Amino acid sequence: MQFRRYKPFASAIGLVLGLLCAVEAAKVNKHKPWIETTYHGIVTENDDKVLLDPPLIALDKDAPLRYAGEICGFRIHGQNVPFEAVVLDKSTGEGVIRAKDKLDCELQKEHTFTIQAYDCGEGPDGANMKKSHKANVHIQVNDVNEYSPVFKEKSYKATVIEGKKYDSILKVEAVDADCSFQYSQICSYEIVTPDVPFSVDKDGNIKNTEKLNYSKERMYKLTVTAYDCGKNRASEDVLVKINIKPTCKPSWQGFNKRIEYEPGTGSLALFPSMRLETCEEPITSIQATIELETSHIGKGCDRDTYSEKSLHKLCGASGNTVELLPTPSSATNWTVGLPTDNGHDSDQVFEFNGTQAIKIPEGVVSTSLKEPFTVSVWMRHGPGAREKETILCNSDKTDMNRHHYSFYVHNCRLILLLRQDPTEAESYKPAEFHWKLDQVCDKEWHHYVLNIEFPSVTLFVDGVTFEPFLVTEDYPLHASKLDTQLTVGACWQGGSAHMAQFFRGNLAGLMIRTGKLDNKKVIDCLYTCKEGLDVQLPEEVSNTVKVQFNPNQSSLTLEGDDIESFEKVMQHISYLNSRQFPTPGIRHLRISTTVKCFNEETCISVPDSEGYVMVLQPEEPKISLSGIDHFARGALDFESSEGVTLFPELRIVSTITREVEPETETEGEDDPTVQETVVSEEIMHNLDTCEVTVVGDDLDGEHESLEVDLTQVQQHGLEMSSSNVGMIITGVNTMANYEQVLHLIRYRNWHTEALFDRKFKLVCSELNGRYISNEFKVEVNVIHTVNPIEHANNAMVQPQFINPVHHASVDLSGHNLVNAHQASVVPSAATIVIVVCVSFLVFMIILGVFRIRAAHQRTMRDQENGKENEMDWDDSALTITVNPMETYEDQHSSEEEEEEEEEESEDGEEEDDITSAESESSEDEEGAEQEDQQGASRQQQLEWDDSTLTY
């Protein structure tokens, strides 16, 4: 019933709602289009298509109604926006944004504007169209690598100072017009010019890769290009000019690279005009080291090349000295087989290669060598095997291998083995002394002196004392009667009879002497070089510059803080060689300099300066021996206690020859007619050896000898040794003293019956054989006298014939003395002659009366001819006289004359046979006549007076 009551009211409400729906249905375009609020887009320049994120799409809820649900377009809001929006599909609302014209990133990289979509309205006329909200659009223009790099400058210039390395000399710079970072950046630069000492980095910095030299190149022209990050090369390369400016070089100025030293001129200033260029740098100290390289000369430098024994004597070493490695000679021949170094001007150096050794003959070194004694040696040794290398060894000669004392090298250590002789107390005693020294294996020459005074042993190396770092003990040797063998270069193994522990290296001057050699002056004298550096400090700078030498004066160091004083000291440095005949050749020089500034660091670098001293060849002396080279003496003279003096008038002269250029007043070319003059002048120097050698058979000690007064020899400061081949006088002394000693040498022969001549040779030398004299040969003949009445020893002394010769030797090749004597006078023949003479004595007296008349006639003829230099023969007692030195004047007679004169001589002999006796005057006349006849045909022949002999 209530429903019915409200029924009219409900009907009214429904009617109103129906009317409203009809009105709404009448409105067609009810919704606005919808788009995103923000869009981002990318577009490449030179292109018009824009890629949007999100895509441009407009939606409308009126869809799918026609017109009202379709999108008719997009509207862009903004000033001068170079884009437009285009609808691709009205029903879906899809659209695009595109550029109106070509974009240029270089002008504008980004664009921002708003966009709005609108639908088609209610009909084709677009009435009552609806618009969406405005959305923001951001579009970025992507760059295209369309531009190449361009350098900011058309060319670049820079100037640098030679001798320096720069981090950056100059910077080149290029730009790129592209808008993007990728294409607008320069990624690299490149030097196009090849083979130039420069480089460029990615930022365009150019630097030199090495120190530049003005004298080599004064200006460099470089072509440089650039690349952007897109690898586009610069449109045009750029030219870079780099000028090199000469710089002040810190160095020593005024230094001659070659310095010639003439022997005998004393000190020679090495740097008389030297100065230090510091390029105006403020300095606080200077240190310079001057080194003279002499290791290639002799045993490390130039020293006297006398024998080691002579050097010990010259240096004042007293005591008995034995040289174990002497120069090979007739008296010291045990070193003959050793290879020597012949390139050091007679500096006797022996080489041991690990297979060679020598035995010292018995008697050279006393077997009872007692302490104290000294061993000294020069040694050059390098790193070698780990085996023992023996320098000197005294071991058992047979049966056993015991080493009594030995000096050897082992693992670069120097070791002395010294076993004590048997004693009552069998206790340990020091036996091995070890020194560990760098000098042993540095391949350089060093001088070693070993003083042995048991149980103390002291070693001097180059004048510096070294104590052993290790001493081991051992029992003394057992008593034995075995002889010992002294060897050099290895050790003799008596049990197996072979050498072992061979040495590898060089040795020289090996000596053993009795007594200690601990005098420092003597040791320094043996070691000190004869050449080196010297400096005479001026008084005004002596306190401002410190000078320090090394031991052999081959290096000196200067320290100072004042350049001017330092330069004065350098100008007074000199080279000195005190040898009269120095070793010629090059000595290299090096100057090393360090300069410091106020900050105590090296501020400038002074390069090392190098040069050399050229020691010129000394004028070699010519040692000449002259005197009587051929003479005869009676047999009694040879048999007497005094003997015959071999060199009674010996003269020793030494000369040098110089070429003197003539002085010419004309200038220009040399006159070819002018010749150099050769001048010979006498000089004085020492000798160290004179050797007298027998030519032919050796001396027979049973009946002949060479003798000299030893007291006189020693008084002249010389020594003598002799053998069956001759005599050697040694010692460094003047030529005058050698002359006096050689005048004293005598030859004796106390059995002269079979002797007719003897020949000797004399040779003198200086500096261990560096300069040798001529061979002076002497021939002495024996004049035999046979007397039947008196004993031969009481016979009359015959005339002595002397042939003096000066500065020359006489050729006696045609002198047949030996044949003459052997054919005529032998002991058996003499006996026969005496018997025959006695038998015919009475007969000869009777016939002498008939000879008187003939004798008077020959006397008259002899007075008319006036013969000179005749020889008288006394045959009254049937005496046979040998005249080996008779000289005849006529050397041009023909063979026919010789035959005729020989026939006349035979006739004269027959006439002598038939005469019984003759007076003294007749004998003289006959002898003169015979000499006349023989003189025309024979020269230097033997003459026999056999007028009283019958065959």
Side-chain angles (χ1 to χ4, degrees), residues 675-694:
Q675 298 181 352
E676 294 182 345
T677 303
V678 177
V679 177
S680 178
E681 60 182 66
E682 184 175 343
I683 63 170
M684 301 301 296
H685 59 78
N686 291 331
L687 298 177
D688 60 1
T689 303
C690 280
E691 183 172 4
V692 182
T693 308
V694 179

Short mmCIF file of all heavy atoms in Angstrom, two decimals, residues 675-694:
data_model
loop_
_atom_site.label_atom_id
_atom_site.label_comp_id
_atom_site.label_asym_id
_atom_site.label_seq_id
_atom_site.Cartn_x
_atom_site.Cartn_y
_atom_site.Cartn_z
N GLN A 675 172.41 17.95 -48.50
CA GLN A 675 172.25 16.66 -47.85
C GLN A 675 172.41 16.82 -46.35
O GLN A 675 173.09 17.71 -45.86
CB GLN A 675 173.29 15.67 -48.39
CG GLN A 675 173.15 15.39 -49.89
CD GLN A 675 174.18 14.39 -50.35
OE1 GLN A 675 175.08 14.01 -49.60
NE2 GLN A 675 174.07 13.97 -51.60
N GLU A 676 171.72 15.88 -45.64
CA GLU A 676 171.84 15.90 -44.20
C GLU A 676 173.22 15.42 -43.78
O GLU A 676 173.83 14.57 -44.41
CB GLU A 676 170.76 15.01 -43.58
CG GLU A 676 169.35 15.52 -43.81
CD GLU A 676 168.32 14.62 -43.15
OE1 GLU A 676 168.68 13.50 -42.78
OE2 GLU A 676 167.16 15.05 -43.01
N THR A 677 173.69 15.98 -42.69
CA THR A 677 175.01 15.64 -42.18
C THR A 677 174.86 14.65 -41.04
O THR A 677 174.04 14.84 -40.15
CB THR A 677 175.73 16.90 -41.68
OG1 THR A 677 175.78 17.85 -42.74
CG2 THR A 677 177.13 16.56 -41.20
N VAL A 678 175.63 13.59 -41.08
CA VAL A 678 175.61 12.58 -40.04
C VAL A 678 176.75 12.86 -39.08
O VAL A 678 177.92 12.93 -39.49
CB VAL A 678 175.73 11.17 -40.64
CG1 VAL A 678 175.78 10.12 -39.51
CG2 VAL A 678 174.57 10.89 -41.58
N VAL A 679 176.42 13.02 -37.82
CA VAL A 679 177.42 13.35 -36.81
C VAL A 679 177.46 12.21 -35.82
O VAL A 679 176.43 11.75 -35.32
CB VAL A 679 177.07 14.67 -36.09
CG1 VAL A 679 178.08 14.95 -34.99
CG2 VAL A 679 177.03 15.82 -37.09
N SER A 680 178.66 11.73 -35.53
CA SER A 680 178.86 10.67 -34.55
C SER A 680 179.58 11.26 -33.35
O SER A 680 180.62 11.91 -33.49
CB SER A 680 179.68 9.53 -35.16
OG SER A 680 179.90 8.53 -34.20
N GLU A 681 179.01 11.04 -32.18
CA GLU A 681 179.63 11.58 -30.98
C GLU A 681 179.71 10.51 -29.91
O GLU A 681 178.84 9.63 -29.81
CB GLU A 681 178.86 12.79 -30.46
CG GLU A 681 177.42 12.53 -30.09
CD GLU A 681 176.73 13.79 -29.62
OE1 GLU A 681 176.57 14.70 -30.46
OE2 GLU A 681 176.37 13.84 -28.43
N GLU A 682 180.75 10.58 -29.14
CA GLU A 682 180.99 9.58 -28.11
C GLU A 682 180.18 9.91 -26.86
O GLU A 682 180.06 11.07 -26.46
CB GLU A 682 182.48 9.53 -27.77
CG GLU A 682 182.86 8.44 -26.78
CD GLU A 682 184.37 8.36 -26.57
OE1 GLU A 682 185.10 8.90 -27.43
OE2 GLU A 682 184.79 7.75 -25.57
N ILE A 683 179.59 8.87 -26.26
CA ILE A 683 178.82 9.05 -25.04
C ILE A 683 179.34 8.07 -23.99
O ILE A 683 180.01 7.09 -24.30
CB ILE A 683 177.31 8.82 -25.25
CG1 ILE A 683 177.05 7.37 -25.69
CG2 ILE A 683 176.73 9.80 -26.24
CD1 ILE A 683 175.58 7.01 -25.70
N MET A 684 179.00 8.35 -22.76
CA MET A 684 179.40 7.49 -21.66
C MET A 684 178.17 6.85 -21.05
O MET A 684 177.15 7.50 -20.82
CB MET A 684 180.14 8.30 -20.58
CG MET A 684 181.39 9.00 -21.09
SD MET A 684 182.62 7.84 -21.76
CE MET A 684 183.01 6.92 -20.27
N HIS A 685 178.24 5.57 -20.82
CA HIS A 685 177.17 4.86 -20.12
C HIS A 685 177.76 3.61 -19.49
O HIS A 685 178.94 3.28 -19.71
CB HIS A 685 176.02 4.51 -21.06
CG HIS A 685 176.40 3.65 -22.23
ND1 HIS A 685 176.60 2.29 -22.13
CD2 HIS A 685 176.65 3.97 -23.53
CE1 HIS A 685 176.93 1.80 -23.32
NE2 HIS A 685 176.98 2.81 -24.17
N ASN A 686 176.97 2.89 -18.77
CA ASN A 686 177.45 1.71 -18.07
C ASN A 686 177.40 0.49 -18.97
O ASN A 686 176.74 0.47 -20.02
CB ASN A 686 176.60 1.45 -16.83
CG ASN A 686 176.81 2.50 -15.76
OD1 ASN A 686 177.89 3.09 -15.67
ND2 ASN A 686 175.79 2.74 -14.95
N LEU A 687 178.09 -0.54 -18.53
CA LEU A 687 177.98 -1.88 -19.08
C LEU A 687 177.56 -2.81 -17.96
O LEU A 687 177.79 -2.51 -16.77
CB LEU A 687 179.31 -2.35 -19.68
CG LEU A 687 179.88 -1.55 -20.86
CD1 LEU A 687 181.23 -2.13 -21.26
CD2 LEU A 687 178.93 -1.56 -22.04
N ASP A 688 176.94 -3.92 -18.32
CA ASP A 688 176.57 -4.87 -17.27
C ASP A 688 177.15 -6.27 -17.50
O ASP A 688 177.11 -7.09 -16.59
CB ASP A 688 175.05 -4.96 -17.10
CG ASP A 688 174.35 -5.40 -18.38
OD1 ASP A 688 175.03 -5.65 -19.37
OD2 ASP A 688 173.10 -5.47 -18.36
N THR A 689 177.70 -6.53 -18.69
CA THR A 689 178.26 -7.85 -18.95
C THR A 689 179.34 -7.76 -20.02
O THR A 689 179.17 -7.04 -21.01
CB THR A 689 177.18 -8.85 -19.42
OG1 THR A 689 176.15 -8.92 -18.46
CG2 THR A 689 177.77 -10.24 -19.63
N CYS A 690 180.42 -8.48 -19.81
CA CYS A 690 181.41 -8.74 -20.85
C CYS A 690 181.75 -10.21 -20.78
O CYS A 690 182.07 -10.73 -19.70
CB CYS A 690 182.67 -7.89 -20.67
SG CYS A 690 182.51 -6.18 -21.25
N GLU A 691 181.67 -10.88 -21.93
CA GLU A 691 181.86 -12.32 -21.96
C GLU A 691 183.00 -12.66 -22.91
O GLU A 691 183.00 -12.25 -24.08
CB GLU A 691 180.58 -13.02 -22.40
CG GLU A 691 180.68 -14.53 -22.39
CD GLU A 691 179.35 -15.20 -22.65
OE1 GLU A 691 178.35 -14.47 -22.91
OE2 GLU A 691 179.28 -16.45 -22.60
N VAL A 692 183.97 -13.41 -22.41
CA VAL A 692 185.08 -13.92 -23.20
C VAL A 692 184.80 -15.38 -23.50
O VAL A 692 184.61 -16.19 -22.57
CB VAL A 692 186.43 -13.78 -22.45
CG1 VAL A 692 187.57 -14.28 -23.33
CG2 VAL A 692 186.65 -12.33 -22.05
N THR A 693 184.76 -15.71 -24.77
CA THR A 693 184.41 -17.06 -25.19
C THR A 693 185.53 -17.65 -26.03
O THR A 693 186.13 -16.95 -26.87
CB THR A 693 183.11 -17.07 -26.01
OG1 THR A 693 182.11 -16.37 -25.29
CG2 THR A 693 182.63 -18.48 -26.30
N VAL A 694 185.82 -18.91 -25.81
CA VAL A 694 186.82 -19.61 -26.60
C VAL A 694 186.23 -19.97 -27.95
O VAL A 694 185.12 -20.51 -28.02
CB VAL A 694 187.30 -20.88 -25.87
CG1 VAL A 694 188.33 -21.62 -26.72
CG2 VAL A 694 187.88 -20.52 -24.52
#
